[in-house]
């Protein structure tokens, strides 16, 4: 089975590859590529024939939900397993609603992660024990063109990146620095976002994100490898 690993932490990707190589019964799992850039993950999955994408929920200047949407559009046959140190239940449910096949926690055992990969590959819903399953109508759903979720789909990829950073509490100056663009360009994008979503302030954007279950925590910095048989964090 061909896997693509997507995580901003090089240490974690190395650790997961090592775990897959050493876990009994996982010899058929082949990592065909790895990347820390969620923007090119879907393209890599298609180009390399990946069957399962194992991706961090928090991907730098975008998030795993954006990746799930992109895979749904360009590679619907590819299965997606989301990974995170922790993820609010509402965010997990949203990822499932736009096409993710399951969610696993990085602190789970190697055998559990391998089992989650296999289950997702078979089209089965995978969740850790402490996350409740969403209503069946939400799993694999697509936004109603008249519903609130559709408003997000009106945003360009750059506008969506800025939307997420505003939700994370970033100022225009911080957004400009993080994305490598000018403050004036950020302000222009913010104007487009406000118009498309019919909002006026950052607080309005945060309220919309809360209403839609999209309050993601800011991505954490990569940490050193873990111990005691768990995957590196």
């Amino acid at each position: 089975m061909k896997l693509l690993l997507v995580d901003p932490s090089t240490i974690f990707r190395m650790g997961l590859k090592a775990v897959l190589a050493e876990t009994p019964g996982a010899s058929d799992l082949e990592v065909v590529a790895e990347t820390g850039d969620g923007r090119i993950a879907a393209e890599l999955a298609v180009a390399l024939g990946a069957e399962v994408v194992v991706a961090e929920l928090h991907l730098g200047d975008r998030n795993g939900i954006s990746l799930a949407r992109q895979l749904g559009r360009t590679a619907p046959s590819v299965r997606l397993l989301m990974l995170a140190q922790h993820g609010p239940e509402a965010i997990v449910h949203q990822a499932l609603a736009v096409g993710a096949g399951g969610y696993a926690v990085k602190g789970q055992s190697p055998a559990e992660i391998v089992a989650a990969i296999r289950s997702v590959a078979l089209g089965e819903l995978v969740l850790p024990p402490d996350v409740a399953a969403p209503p069946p109508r939400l799993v694999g759903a697509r936004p109603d063109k008249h519903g609130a979720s559709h408003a997000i789909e009106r945003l360009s990829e750059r506008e969506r990146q800025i939307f997420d950073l505003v939700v994370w509490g970033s100022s225009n100056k911080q957004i400009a620095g993080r994305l490598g663009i000018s403050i004036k360009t950020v302000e222009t994008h913010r104007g487009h976002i406000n118009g498309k979503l019919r909002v006026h302030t950052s607080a309005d954007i945060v309220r919309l994100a809360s209403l839609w279950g999209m309050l993601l925590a800011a991505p954490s910095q990569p940490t050193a490898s873990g111990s005691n048989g768990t995957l590196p964090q």
Side-chain angles (χ1 to χ4, degrees), residues 8-108:
S9 169
T10 302
I11 292 175
F12 178 77
R13 297 197 309 268
M14 292 173 59
L16 182 54
K17 286 174 65 177
V19 164
L20 294 177
E22 298 170 1
T23 300
S27 59
D28 62 318
L29 302 183
E30 177 191 4
V31 178
V32 294
E34 60 178 90
T35 179
D37 190 342
R39 294 171 297 180
I40 66 171
E43 296 175 11
L44 281 174
V46 173
L48 300 174
E51 297 166 78
V52 177
V53 174
V54 181
E56 162 66 53
L57 184 60
H58 307 298
L59 291 171
D61 59 3
R62 68 181 305 172
N63 59 57
I65 294 172
S66 298
L67 175 58
R69 287 194 180 96
Q70 188 177 359
L71 284 171
R73 291 192 299 266
T74 62
S77 64
V78 177
R79 306 294 185 181
L80 175 62
L81 174 66
M82 304 303 310
L83 277 176
Q85 180 57 31
H86 60 82
E89 193 169 275
I91 301 301
V92 174
H93 288 180
Q94 187 188 6
L96 298 175
V98 298
Y103 167 72
V105 179
K106 287 184 175 180
Q108 290 180 264

Side-chain angles (χ1 to χ4, degrees), residues 179-201:
L179 300 183
I181 57 180
S182 70
I183 295 177
K184 184 174 179 60
T185 299
V186 174
E187 292 171 347
T188 298
H189 284 304
R190 287 287 301 270
H192 294 161
I193 293 168
N194 290 352
K196 292 178 180 181
L197 301 185
R198 298 182 181 179
V199 297
H200 301 286
T201 67

Side-chain angles (χ1 to χ4, degrees), residues 81-216:
L81 174 66
M82 304 303 310
L83 277 176
Q85 180 57 31
H86 60 82
E89 193 169 275
I91 301 301
V92 174
H93 288 180
Q94 187 188 6
L96 298 175
V98 298
Y103 167 72
V105 179
K106 287 184 175 180
Q108 290 180 264
S109 70
E112 289 172 326
I113 297 295
V114 169
I117 292 171
R118 293 195 184 283
S119 295
V120 165
L122 294 173
E124 300 172 358
L125 176 64
V126 176
L127 292 171
D130 60 342
V131 174
R137 64 183 176 82
L138 293 183
V139 179
R142 289 291 181 264
D144 185 317
K145 67 179 181 178
H146 299 298
S149 296
H150 180 64
I152 283 292
E153 300 299 329
R154 299 179 193 136
L155 303 183
S156 68
E157 181 173 353
R158 177 65 85 190
E159 289 166 355
R160 181 55 194 272
Q161 291 170 347
I162 292 173
F163 175 93
D164 288 341
L165 290 169
V166 171
V167 172
W168 291 338
S170 300
S171 66
N172 285 357
K173 182 178 180 180
Q174 291 170 326
I175 293 171
R178 183 157 189 166
L179 300 183
I181 57 180
S182 70
I183 295 177
K184 184 174 179 60
T185 299
V186 174
E187 292 171 347
T188 298
H189 284 304
R190 287 287 301 270
H192 294 161
I193 293 168
N194 290 352
K196 292 178 180 181
L197 301 185
R198 298 182 181 179
V199 297
H200 301 286
T201 67
S202 297
D204 292 337
I205 289 176
V206 173
R207 277 193 289 270
L208 277 183
S210 177
L211 178 65
W212 297 337
M214 298 169 62
L215 287 181
L216 287 170

